[in-house]
Amino acid sequence: MKAIKYIAMSAAAAALTLTSCSESFLDKLPDERTEISNEEMCDKLLITAYPSGNYAWIAELSSDNIMDNNAPHLPSSPNVEQVVTHYNLQPYDRVDEEMYRFEPAKSGTDQDTPDFLWETYYSAIQQASMALDILEEIAAENRANGIGDNGMTEMMKASKGEAHLIRAFCHFILVNVFSQAWKDDNASRNDPGVPYVTKAEDKVLHEYSRETVADTYNHIEADLKEGLAYVSDRNYKMPKWRFNQNAANAFAARFYLYKRNWEKVIEYADKVLGTDPAALPSKLMKYDKFDECTYSDDYAKEWQNPEYFNNIMLMDTHSLIFRHGLGNRFALNGTVVRDLFYHNCPLWDSWVVNPTAYVSGMTFWTGEDYGYCSGKVAEEFEYSDKIAGIGFVHTIKREFNTNELLLERAEAKIMLADYAGALEDMAAYLASNQSFSDSNKVFWGRNNGMAPLTDAIIKSYFANAGNPNCFENWDFVTNMSSSYVIPAEAVPYMNCLNDFRRFETLWDGLRFFDLKRWGIEYEHHYGPENDVIHLAWNDPRRAIEVPQDALAAGMQPSQPTTTTSEDASKHATMLPRTDKYIYFK
């Protein structure tokens, strides 16, 4: 058959950012190409079709999980002297300051920036589309020779499913980062989506329309359904690093959660978690694995272990999130830490701190009260020159895991008024978080220091709007859609879910998506003068601005009414970086 030439580059990124009138060398196809001529080579192509970008830091910095250490704040611990202070720290990267202020990111294009995310995700989309074209070429030749099921072998079917899932997933992340949240079929036709690319372009340059959020979601769903129809684990030697069947179902559950199709959330979550409560604990995170851990990379290996059923799909990314979040200006500190795990709660009655945070290595710090970072996002370093101490930073992202999936199912059950079922799932989630070793159970459990989740606790502690992550009502969700209503009896359950999800998804980036899809309003306090940046439910800044090159090429902006301060960058300077970093526990 005719070989198809695969372009080994970030072609889609260039296609979506460069102007059509450019006459540079980028208008020509590069010569370094690999010929893909059979199904085995197509499978190998898909191994490299996963994006290396990581949206976690961009999303965390844009959420309520990060604060400005240079703004007046209380110490993180409520047990020390309560003196308001502020520091004079530098951000790890100047672009962090722009993103924290919800301004277009103009100061950097490296890892953990909107530019890098946009580039690597569209590059992955390009490769997935290329794989689909290759598969169709092979299938056409097979049909002519009477081979396979309509020209498709079992290997080809599995590859087709994987390619559709990669393309759907990448667009799903892009639309949730660079666009407003899904509202409903009608309202989401008023918000710009992201360009949905389904062709492996012959030319580097191409003009793309953003269409609408509704359009983008419809395209995602079409690709998702195709992926679900064909996905298989048959091609995989290491399935946790690719879209295996469980990962496909977990992705479907998350997609339908964001689209508020509650029945489908449960349907796809059940395919992974099952429906037998007795079998559920064996599928969830085990926290007795952390006893032998000391350093951040020890904890990372436990969090990211592909042998654990809990980890449904892992992604190898290029991210410096651990360095961004540890000891710099923008950090998990102050009242943010208190809201997350430094507060009294009947679930850990005798201690002010959630013991799970300590047991699992989520409290790495520099020795100063500049904030905490988690071993779950600690990096792996690949040396290119050990003598010089330089190389590449890898951060393994737990893109899908069973604990977070369980909370998605619980949310769907709440919305269907199945409060007993939601309680059962959230109680199982908490039991997983308290699955310590015997020694830790003794240490943290003395004086009734840990307790199971009960309906009584939900209806007392989580009904009190004065407690962290709890609201008097959830009326703000109706701003998203008149059909999105959370009744009074559901409020304590949603408060509990909100509390659990915020803790579970910390450093994963999903908190930003939750704030957007629920319409929760929040603030960023900035600088020693304590400027307040308030985000209403429909603030255009809830959509991260697309890269400057895309805007220059005429793409519709995400933040059409947002003005950027001309001197925003003068308040920050680039912090010198080093490839060697000392971690503190």
mmCIF file of all heavy atoms in Angstrom, residues 18 30 76 125 131 158-159 188 218 296 362 396 429 432 454 481-482 487 559 575:
data_model
loop_
_atom_site.group_PDB
_atom_site.id
_atom_site.type_symbol
_atom_site.label_atom_id
_atom_site.label_comp_id
_atom_site.label_asym_id
_atom_site.label_seq_id
_atom_site.Cartn_x
_atom_site.Cartn_y
_atom_site.Cartn_z
ATOM 1 N N LEU A 18 -0.038 30.625 13.593
ATOM 2 C CA LEU A 18 0.669 31.451 12.621
ATOM 3 C C LEU A 18 -0.292 32.078 11.613
ATOM 4 O O LEU A 18 -1.337 31.531 11.310
ATOM 5 C CB LEU A 18 1.706 30.599 11.883
ATOM 6 C CG LEU A 18 2.802 30.015 12.779
ATOM 7 C CD1 LEU A 18 3.708 29.128 11.967
ATOM 8 C CD2 LEU A 18 3.600 31.118 13.452
ATOM 9 N N PRO A 30 8.395 20.032 6.712
ATOM 10 C CA PRO A 30 9.760 19.589 7.017
ATOM 11 C C PRO A 30 10.063 18.263 6.314
ATOM 12 O O PRO A 30 9.170 17.503 5.978
ATOM 13 C CB PRO A 30 9.733 19.421 8.541
ATOM 14 C CG PRO A 30 8.294 19.194 8.876
ATOM 15 C CD PRO A 30 7.508 19.986 7.877
ATOM 16 N N SER A 76 -0.493 29.609 58.131
ATOM 17 C CA SER A 76 -1.275 28.452 57.707
ATOM 18 C C SER A 76 -1.831 27.671 58.893
ATOM 19 O O SER A 76 -2.944 27.159 58.835
ATOM 20 C CB SER A 76 -0.425 27.539 56.833
ATOM 21 O OG SER A 76 0.763 27.159 57.513
ATOM 22 N N ILE A 125 -3.496 16.120 19.103
ATOM 23 C CA ILE A 125 -4.691 16.006 18.256
ATOM 24 C C ILE A 125 -4.293 15.727 16.816
ATOM 25 O O ILE A 125 -4.902 14.891 16.130
ATOM 26 C CB ILE A 125 -5.526 17.298 18.365
ATOM 27 C CG1 ILE A 125 -6.182 17.390 19.745
ATOM 28 C CG2 ILE A 125 -6.579 17.363 17.258
ATOM 29 C CD1 ILE A 125 -6.747 18.751 20.070
ATOM 30 N N ALA A 131 -3.249 9.282 12.718
ATOM 31 C CA ALA A 131 -3.429 7.842 12.913
ATOM 32 C C ALA A 131 -4.744 7.369 12.302
ATOM 33 O O ALA A 131 -4.799 6.292 11.672
ATOM 34 C CB ALA A 131 -3.384 7.498 14.397
ATOM 35 N N ALA A 158 -8.748 -1.410 17.810
ATOM 36 C CA ALA A 158 -8.260 -0.874 19.085
ATOM 37 C C ALA A 158 -7.548 0.460 18.882
ATOM 38 O O ALA A 158 -7.725 1.407 19.662
ATOM 39 C CB ALA A 158 -7.326 -1.879 19.753
ATOM 40 N N SER A 159 -6.740 0.553 17.826
ATOM 41 C CA SER A 159 -6.040 1.803 17.539
ATOM 42 C C SER A 159 -7.023 2.908 17.168
ATOM 43 O O SER A 159 -6.848 4.062 17.562
ATOM 44 C CB SER A 159 -5.038 1.593 16.406
ATOM 45 O OG SER A 159 -3.992 0.728 16.808
ATOM 46 N N SER A 188 -24.811 27.595 25.961
ATOM 47 C CA SER A 188 -23.439 27.300 25.538
ATOM 48 C C SER A 188 -23.204 27.600 24.068
ATOM 49 O O SER A 188 -22.083 27.446 23.580
ATOM 50 C CB SER A 188 -23.106 25.827 25.838
ATOM 51 O OG SER A 188 -23.050 25.622 27.240
ATOM 52 N N ASN A 218 -20.295 18.847 21.393
ATOM 53 C CA ASN A 218 -20.911 17.884 20.475
ATOM 54 C C ASN A 218 -19.852 17.102 19.710
ATOM 55 O O ASN A 218 -19.980 15.889 19.508
ATOM 56 C CB ASN A 218 -21.839 18.612 19.501
ATOM 57 C CG ASN A 218 -23.113 19.104 20.163
ATOM 58 O OD1 ASN A 218 -23.536 18.577 21.189
ATOM 59 N ND2 ASN A 218 -23.732 20.127 19.583
ATOM 60 N N SER A 296 10.305 13.327 48.776
ATOM 61 C CA SER A 296 9.191 13.607 47.873
ATOM 62 C C SER A 296 9.064 12.558 46.777
ATOM 63 O O SER A 296 7.958 12.161 46.410
ATOM 64 C CB SER A 296 9.352 14.996 47.255
ATOM 65 O OG SER A 296 10.548 15.078 46.499
ATOM 66 N N MET A 362 1.504 15.273 51.633
ATOM 67 C CA MET A 362 0.961 16.462 50.968
ATOM 68 C C MET A 362 1.403 17.745 51.655
ATOM 69 O O MET A 362 0.868 18.815 51.364
ATOM 70 C CB MET A 362 -0.564 16.393 50.937
ATOM 71 C CG MET A 362 -1.092 15.242 50.106
ATOM 72 S SD MET A 362 -2.888 15.203 49.970
ATOM 73 C CE MET A 362 -3.162 16.602 48.879
ATOM 74 N N ILE A 396 4.577 12.945 36.504
ATOM 75 C CA ILE A 396 3.553 11.970 36.138
ATOM 76 C C ILE A 396 2.203 12.469 36.652
ATOM 77 O O ILE A 396 2.035 12.685 37.848
ATOM 78 C CB ILE A 396 3.862 10.587 36.715
ATOM 79 C CG1 ILE A 396 5.277 10.146 36.323
ATOM 80 C CG2 ILE A 396 2.816 9.571 36.258
ATOM 81 C CD1 ILE A 396 5.553 10.119 34.851
ATOM 82 N N TYR A 429 -15.308 6.620 50.075
ATOM 83 C CA TYR A 429 -14.178 7.488 49.753
ATOM 84 C C TYR A 429 -13.404 7.842 51.027
ATOM 85 O O TYR A 429 -12.173 7.750 51.058
ATOM 86 C CB TYR A 429 -14.662 8.759 49.066
ATOM 87 C CG TYR A 429 -13.593 9.821 48.967
ATOM 88 C CD1 TYR A 429 -12.614 9.753 47.989
ATOM 89 C CD2 TYR A 429 -13.536 10.872 49.891
ATOM 90 C CE1 TYR A 429 -11.609 10.706 47.917
ATOM 91 C CE2 TYR A 429 -12.535 11.824 49.824
ATOM 92 C CZ TYR A 429 -11.573 11.736 48.837
ATOM 93 O OH TYR A 429 -10.568 12.667 48.778
ATOM 94 N N SER A 432 -11.379 5.013 52.361
ATOM 95 C CA SER A 432 -10.136 4.872 51.612
ATOM 96 C C SER A 432 -9.093 5.862 52.121
ATOM 97 O O SER A 432 -7.925 5.500 52.324
ATOM 98 C CB SER A 432 -10.399 5.114 50.121
ATOM 99 O OG SER A 432 -9.200 5.264 49.399
ATOM 100 N N THR A 454 -21.102 9.737 58.372
ATOM 101 C CA THR A 454 -22.481 9.303 58.622
ATOM 102 C C THR A 454 -23.441 10.359 58.105
ATOM 103 O O THR A 454 -23.064 11.511 57.868
ATOM 104 C CB THR A 454 -22.735 9.088 60.117
ATOM 105 O OG1 THR A 454 -22.590 10.358 60.792
ATOM 106 C CG2 THR A 454 -21.753 8.075 60.704
ATOM 107 N N SER A 481 -27.597 27.505 34.441
ATOM 108 C CA SER A 481 -28.734 27.046 33.651
ATOM 109 C C SER A 481 -29.970 27.014 34.535
ATOM 110 O O SER A 481 -29.889 26.600 35.699
ATOM 111 C CB SER A 481 -28.472 25.647 33.076
ATOM 112 O OG SER A 481 -29.634 25.117 32.483
ATOM 113 N N SER A 482 -31.106 27.415 33.988
ATOM 114 C CA SER A 482 -32.343 27.386 34.763
ATOM 115 C C SER A 482 -32.760 25.965 35.122
ATOM 116 O O SER A 482 -33.540 25.748 36.047
ATOM 117 C CB SER A 482 -33.470 28.065 33.977
ATOM 118 O OG SER A 482 -33.672 27.403 32.736
ATOM 119 N N PRO A 487 -31.714 21.464 45.281
ATOM 120 C CA PRO A 487 -32.701 21.760 46.322
ATOM 121 C C PRO A 487 -32.074 21.818 47.705
ATOM 122 O O PRO A 487 -30.944 21.361 47.916
ATOM 123 C CB PRO A 487 -33.696 20.607 46.199
ATOM 124 C CG PRO A 487 -32.897 19.474 45.620
ATOM 125 C CD PRO A 487 -31.903 20.124 44.701
ATOM 126 N N GLN A 559 -11.294 36.316 26.384
ATOM 127 C CA GLN A 559 -11.640 37.375 27.326
ATOM 128 C C GLN A 559 -11.863 38.689 26.567
ATOM 129 O O GLN A 559 -11.066 39.617 26.670
ATOM 130 C CB GLN A 559 -10.522 37.541 28.358
ATOM 131 C CG GLN A 559 -10.157 36.275 29.108
ATOM 132 C CD GLN A 559 -8.970 36.458 30.045
ATOM 133 O OE1 GLN A 559 -8.401 37.534 30.145
ATOM 134 N NE2 GLN A 559 -8.599 35.393 30.732
ATOM 135 N N LEU A 575 12.769 34.507 38.423
ATOM 136 C CA LEU A 575 13.598 33.885 39.444
ATOM 137 C C LEU A 575 14.601 32.950 38.774
ATOM 138 O O LEU A 575 14.216 32.122 37.959
ATOM 139 C CB LEU A 575 12.725 33.081 40.414
ATOM 140 C CG LEU A 575 13.439 32.437 41.599
ATOM 141 C CD1 LEU A 575 13.905 33.511 42.567
ATOM 142 C CD2 LEU A 575 12.522 31.467 42.305
#
